[in-house]
Amino acid sequence: MAATIIESARSGEVTEAMKAVASAEGASPEAIRNGISSGTIVIPHSSVSRRSRLCGIGAGLGVKVNANIGSSRDSESAEVEMQKMAVAVGAGADAVMDLSTGPRWREILHGISEACPVPLGTVPVYQVFGEILEAGCGVGEIGPQEMLDAVEAHCACGVDFLTLHCGVTGHALSILKSQGRKLGIVSRGGALLAEWMSVRKAENPLYERFDDLIDILRRYDATFSLGDGLRPGCLADASDGAQIEELITLGCLQRRALEAGVQVMIEGPGHVPLDQIEQNIRMQKRLCNGAPFYVLGPLVTDIAPGYDHITSAIGGAIAAWHGADFICYVTPAEHLRLPGVEDVRIGTIAARIAAHAADVARGRPGSRERDDRMAEARAALDWEKQFDLAIDPCTARAERAKCLPGEGDVCSMCGKLCAIRTSRRALGEA
Amino acid sequence: MAATIIESARSGEVTEAMKAVASAEGASPEAIRNGISSGTIVIPHSSVSRRSRLCGIGAGLGVKVNANIGSSRDSESAEVEMQKMAVAVGAGADAVMDLSTGPRWREILHGISEACPVPLGTVPVYQVFGEILEAGCGVGEIGPQEMLDAVEAHCACGVDFLTLHCGVTGHALSILKSQGRKLGIVSRGGALLAEWMSVRKAENPLYERFDDLIDILRRYDATFSLGDGLRPGCLADASDGAQIEELITLGCLQRRALEAGVQVMIEGPGHVPLDQIEQNIRMQKRLCNGAPFYVLGPLVTDIAPGYDHITSAIGGAIAAWHGADFICYVTPAEHLRLPGVEDVRIGTIAARIAAHAADVARGRPGSRERDDRMAEARAALDWEKQFDLAIDPCTARAERAKCLPGEGDVCSMCGKLCAIRTSRRALGEA
């Protein structure tokens, strides 16, 4: 069997992927190799996928952004999902997850996997449970082997990283039940597995058969994204016993996969008040042996449906500043409906703002350079340069055009009172 | 002369305004009285204005939000500004500043002041300098008394709080020049005063004649908002010597105004990297004797024109969490053009999200209650209740309606895979 990237790293080999990531990050190939070997960096890249834009995720690297796309039974179009993928990548997403659950999910996933230039992730249990529920059956009718087969099918399709809720154990669920929650289990995968365990009166097969999962992912050199099936769905449930119990389990599983030569990321919350974000990151890094942390949000308030790209940009910026490595975007459609193409674009931009602000705050070499060039373009009143440097040039250009100044290179806010012009005169720079 | 609210507080009187604020905040009237007396709380309310929705700003109170409106020569309509005011107040702004600079600014300001239900602020130097520049003259042709007369005219019009850049001293400017900056002076008022000082080779009259300003504001019981004329306009300039020198001066001036019985807020940055925000707040509280801190942003990156409501919501949330009391919104139009009515709405909502997230993080009693009720409404799949509890019910309702589920009370993201429904079954709550 071919060596996985971790095995290559451990044997001292610097692969092409490591070189590409080192070059993109301005890091030494050796640093990347060390990070992969120790599990603090991952490069999600299946041995059967072709991706033109690989990325490294983890310690010492720039913060990366994932965009979720995917159809549902209520809105299913392969073309629209392809558009979403293109828009996400165009807006700067470093990775994409296809969460399609509609009847044509296979066709959509294959199409996306063929076309996607960046690492692609999925959540294999969605479809296996989705199909049984659509057929009017209960989740208990799925067998453990069918779940593993679904994982294998996704791997065979070229998926680079797979969200697997292996930490939803009977013990974690007993803690959740005994402590109570306002909002139960809000992870779809986590809830489905919990129901399966309840109906079958059995342990989570993704936990019990974790070694089988390792074997499957190892064959494709796919990356585990160990899912936070018990993540908090509201501020009140944040950082509770069930969440942390699951994290402890994920840390143990991470070590096993790493030893077996399979890359691992850990997924994290969710809905978390501002003042609990830093501790969540520190705890994950401690409990999960420094593995890359992939956060969904966190959303810092529950009351802003329609604006959760903003609530999550706030939380994501703070999380990434304190060490989260990979931010899953949240769109304005969150909590309300399936996102459309424009939601995908806005969500990607908002997450990239959070990621960049965190890179700057971390003092990542070179990160502030673009801000500095923007400041210089503003000082020069060079609008074209400002648009070029903007995170979204089209929007910046279009917004300015909505109300242009009557004269000069100022803006319609200030006109003759332009602070830049006045400042030049005041400071003798005119 | 009638007593100012500070004098009333010091004489032991609990005024109607203090009672109203205490009731709105769930605080004791005595706590409000103490805060006003010591200068850690302000209730901006001119003796000649009538406002139906007063608010307290400062230590121990909920974080408040200001929305800037105002015309410019390139876009001037009294009707549009009245709409912006109504939209801002409707979206939950606690205060409004009219920054109109177009030729009809007087008419617009009078109309807004008549109609505005919340505390109203202005920046009087804009107009006095704006008119002289429009007339083709240089800023040096304005005399110090004309600036003071402009302040008096604004007070007479019922303005409740006035931004006055009293800390732009010759010494602060010499520091700025000697240290250099990428983006000079980005405050319009600060830049205009600096130019005046340069042309006249004289000290800032708002600094030199601060006692005269105190007399004017005292007569109307108006509130100083001591402006940060040297705030950083880009990440590279954040927390530099010029900014902090101005802050030291503002702390000295705050003490003088407070002793004279006039309320004071201090304005703050600006563009600040995530990791410098907390120290900026702590420094202001120390240097300015615990005076309420009124921040513009801070924006945590320079590269997102078109999305600065998001960059500032990130910074504003962190600033307010660490003690900033009053957040000035930033709209998507920032750095590009004069904001329109929809920009005002979005900016207000984004700032309110930041303020609320900070209230929750500070552990302000009762703040998380609305989040908890939202979590309960989500657990119950009660959509009408979710809309009612949303920070912007109309948007939440409209977004959901864009793609409704084919059946049931779920959403079009999950359909039969709804985590809430699955969780109920899994946890035996169905």
Side-chain angles (χ1 to χ4, degrees):
Chain A
M1 201 184 300
T4 65
I5 190 169
I6 289 185
E7 289 162 345
S8 299
R10 287 186 184 149
S11 72
E13 186 192 349
V14 174
T15 65
E16 288 307 311
M18 294 180 213
K19 282 180 204 162
V21 165
S23 162
E25 299 280 344
S28 75
E30 195 54 25
I32 304 298
R33 192 189 66 75
N34 279 330
I36 286 171
S37 174
S38 64
T40 61
I41 290 175
V42 297
I43 303 178
H45 186 204
S46 156
S47 58
V48 298
S49 75
R50 287 182 305 272
R51 311 284 169 221
S52 55
R53 272 178 44 187
L54 292 186
C55 74
I57 299 167
L61 308 185
V63 178
K64 303 303 185 301
V65 164
N66 174 74
N68 288 338
I69 63 168
S71 69
S72 71
R73 69 197 298 266
D74 289 312
S75 176
E76 186 170 51
S77 154
E79 200 184 323
V80 168
E81 297 312 320
M82 203 63 92
Q83 274 178 34
K84 287 185 194 171
M85 188 267 285
V87 161
V89 171
D94 301 289
V96 166
M97 291 187 77
D98 176 12
L99 309 183
S100 290
T101 57
R104 288 166 56 202
W105 70 266
R106 272 186 195 79
E107 171 198 341
I108 292 172
L109 175 58
H110 280 265
I112 295 287
S113 186
E114 274 300 306
C116 190
V118 297
L120 176 67
T122 57
V123 188
V125 299
Y126 285 174
Q127 290 91 17
V128 66
F129 281 116
E131 290 185 343
I132 204 89
L133 289 170
E134 283 297 334
C137 305
V139 296
E141 298 189 35
I142 299 283
Q145 189 55 45
E146 285 169 86
M147 295 189 210
L148 270 60
D149 291 345
V151 172
E152 171 110 34
H154 279 245
C155 284
C157 184
V159 171
D160 303 291
F161 60 103
L162 296 91
T163 293
L164 293 162
H165 301 94
C166 305
V168 180
T169 61
H171 181 53
L173 286 172
S174 73
I175 291 173
L176 188 147
K177 284 183 200 167
S178 77
Q179 296 190 332
R181 266 192 173 183
K182 275 217 181 298
L183 206 42
I185 307 172
V186 297
S187 149
R188 280 190 290 188
L192 290 161
L193 285 164
E195 185 184 5
W196 187 94
M197 293 159 70
S198 165
V199 170
R200 288 265 194 148
K201 301 193 194 321
E203 186 50 277
N204 178 354
L206 302 185
Y207 174 74
E208 278 205 323
R209 296 186 59 180
F210 189 68
D211 287 331
D212 294 333
L213 287 177
I214 288 177
D215 286 343
I216 297 168
L217 270 69
R218 206 199 159 291
R219 278 205 296 284
Y220 296 88
D221 203 3
T223 298
F224 277 104
S225 188
L226 292 177
D228 53 338
L230 304 183
R231 68 169 170 270
C234 61
L235 299 189
D237 294 343
S239 317
D240 73 352
Q243 180 197 327
I244 308 305
E245 169 64 25
E246 182 183 31
L247 193 65
I248 294 169
T249 302
L250 297 184
C252 298
L253 299 178
Q254 183 262 357
R255 201 183 287 266
R256 281 164 60 188
L258 190 65
E259 278 168 12
V262 180
Q263 298 191 112
V264 185
M265 296 186 282
I266 307 290
E267 296 186 11
H271 290 238
V272 182
L274 274 180
D275 59 312
Q276 292 177 28
I277 294 174
E278 181 177 355
Q279 75 193 46
N280 266 274
I281 309 300
R282 292 192 189 282
M283 200 174 307
Q284 182 273 347
K285 289 289 175 186
R286 173 67 185 86
L287 293 174
C288 299
N289 317 300
F293 199 16
Y294 176 22
V295 294
L296 176 66
L299 282 60
V300 296
T301 173
D302 304 333
I303 66 167
Y307 299 88
D308 279 327
H309 59 306
I310 298 179
T311 65
S312 66
I314 296 172
I318 298 172
W321 170 28
H322 291 298
D325 306 284
F326 192 27
I327 298 180
C328 185
Y329 86 170
V330 173
T331 78
E334 185 76 13
H335 295 112
L336 296 168
R337 60 169 166 77
L338 194 78
V341 174
E342 179 63 4
D343 299 306
V344 167
R345 200 184 62 76
I346 294 172
T348 304
I349 298 285
R352 283 191 60 217
I353 288 170
H356 177 75
D359 278 338
V360 170
R362 287 173 172 198
R364 190 174 153 59
S367 284
R368 221 193 58 198
E369 204 175 286
R370 188 164 163 187
D371 299 84
D372 291 352
R373 281 186 290 144
M374 179 65 87
E376 288 154 13
R378 283 183 173 143
L381 288 168
D382 183 337
W383 292 95
E384 283 307 314
K385 201 167 194 177
Q386 290 178 53
F387 300 148
D388 285 348
L389 289 164
I391 201 160
D392 179 357
C394 286
T395 295
R397 186 175 273 110
E399 286 297 320
R400 174 163 160 83
K402 281 184 187 169
C403 181
L404 287 167
E407 53 179 85
D409 54 3
V410 296
C411 82
S412 58
M413 169 77 102
C414 300
K416 283 191 198 290
L417 289 168
C418 173
I420 303 282
R421 294 205 156 280
T422 311
S423 174
R424 281 184 201 162
R425 294 192 303 265
L427 302 176
E429 297 164 357
Chain B
M1 201 187 295
T4 66
I5 190 169
I6 289 186
E7 289 163 344
S8 298
R10 288 185 185 153
S11 71
E13 186 192 349
V14 174
T15 65
E16 288 307 311
M18 295 180 212
K19 282 181 203 162
V21 165
S23 161
E25 299 280 345
S28 75
E30 196 54 24
I32 305 298
R33 193 188 66 74
N34 279 330
I36 287 171
S37 174
S38 65
T40 62
I41 291 175
V42 297
I43 303 178
H45 187 204
S46 155
S47 57
V48 297
S49 75
R50 290 183 304 271
R51 310 285 169 219
S52 56
R53 273 178 45 186
L54 290 186
C55 74
I57 298 166
L61 309 184
V63 178
K64 304 303 186 300
V65 164
N66 175 75
N68 288 339
I69 62 168
S71 68
S72 71
R73 70 196 299 264
D74 289 312
S75 177
E76 185 170 51
S77 153
E79 201 184 322
V80 168
E81 296 312 319
M82 202 64 93
Q83 275 177 35
K84 288 184 192 168
M85 188 267 285
V87 161
V89 171
D94 300 289
V96 166
M97 290 187 80
D98 176 11
L99 308 184
S100 290
T101 58
R104 288 165 57 202
W105 70 266
R106 275 187 191 79
E107 171 198 340
I108 292 173
L109 175 57
H110 280 264
I112 296 287
S113 186
E114 274 299 306
C116 189
V118 297
L120 176 66
T122 55
V123 188
V125 299
Y126 286 173
Q127 290 90 18
V128 66
F129 282 115
E131 291 185 343
I132 205 88
L133 290 169
E134 284 297 335
C137 306
V139 296
E141 299 190 33
I142 299 283
Q145 188 57 45
E146 285 170 85
M147 295 188 209
L148 269 62
D149 290 347
V151 172
E152 171 110 34
H154 279 245
C155 285
C157 184
V159 171
D160 302 292
F161 60 103
L162 297 90
T163 292
L164 293 162
H165 301 95
C166 306
V168 180
T169 60
H171 181 53
L173 287 173
S174 73
I175 292 172
L176 188 147
K177 284 182 202 171
S178 77
Q179 296 191 331
R181 266 192 172 181
K182 274 214 182 300
L183 206 42
I185 307 172
V186 297
S187 149
R188 281 189 288 187
L192 290 162
L193 285 164
E195 185 184 6
W196 188 93
M197 293 159 69
S198 164
V199 170
R200 289 263 195 150
K201 304 195 190 318
E203 185 51 277
N204 178 354
L206 302 184
Y207 175 74
E208 278 205 322
R209 296 187 59 181
F210 191 66
D211 287 331
D212 294 333
L213 286 176
I214 289 178
D215 286 344
I216 297 168
L217 269 70
R218 205 200 158 290
R219 279 205 296 285
Y220 295 89
D221 203 2
T223 297
F224 277 104
S225 188
L226 292 176
D228 53 339
L230 304 183
R231 68 171 170 268
C234 63
L235 300 188
D237 294 342
S239 316
D240 73 353
Q243 180 197 326
I244 308 306
E245 168 64 26
E246 182 183 31
L247 193 64
I248 294 170
T249 302
L250 297 184
C252 298
L253 299 178
Q254 182 262 357
R255 202 183 286 267
R256 280 163 61 187
L258 190 65
E259 278 168 12
V262 180
Q263 299 190 113
V264 184
M265 297 186 282
I266 307 290
E267 295 186 10
H271 290 238
V272 183
L274 274 180
D275 59 312
Q276 293 177 27
I277 295 175
E278 181 178 355
Q279 75 195 46
N280 266 273
I281 308 299
R282 292 192 190 281
M283 199 173 308
Q284 182 274 346
K285 289 289 176 186
R286 173 66 186 87
L287 294 175
C288 299
N289 317 300
F293 199 15
Y294 176 21
V295 293
L296 176 65
L299 283 61
V300 296
T301 172
D302 304 332
I303 66 166
Y307 300 87
D308 279 326
H309 59 305
I310 298 180
T311 64
S312 66
I314 295 172
I318 298 171
W321 169 28
H322 291 298
D325 306 284
F326 192 25
I327 299 179
C328 186
Y329 85 171
V330 173
T331 78
E334 185 76 12
H335 295 111
L336 296 168
R337 60 170 165 78
L338 194 78
V341 174
E342 179 64 5
D343 300 306
V344 167
R345 199 184 64 75
I346 293 172
T348 304
I349 298 286
R352 283 191 60 219
I353 287 170
H356 177 75
D359 278 339
V360 170
R362 287 174 172 197
R364 189 173 152 60
S367 283
R368 219 193 59 198
E369 205 175 285
R370 188 164 163 187
D371 299 84
D372 291 352
R373 282 185 290 145
M374 179 65 87
E376 289 155 13
R378 283 181 174 145
L381 288 168
D382 183 338
W383 291 95
E384 284 305 316
K385 202 166 193 176
Q386 290 177 54
F387 300 147
D388 286 348
L389 288 164
I391 201 160
D392 179 358
C394 286
T395 296
R397 185 175 275 110
E399 286 297 322
R400 175 163 159 82
K402 281 183 187 169
C403 181
L404 287 166
E407 53 178 83
D409 54 3
V410 295
C411 82
S412 57
M413 169 77 103
C414 301
K416 282 193 198 289
L417 289 168
C418 173
I420 303 283
R421 293 205 156 281
T422 312
S423 174
R424 282 184 199 160
R425 295 192 302 266
L427 302 176
E429 296 164 358

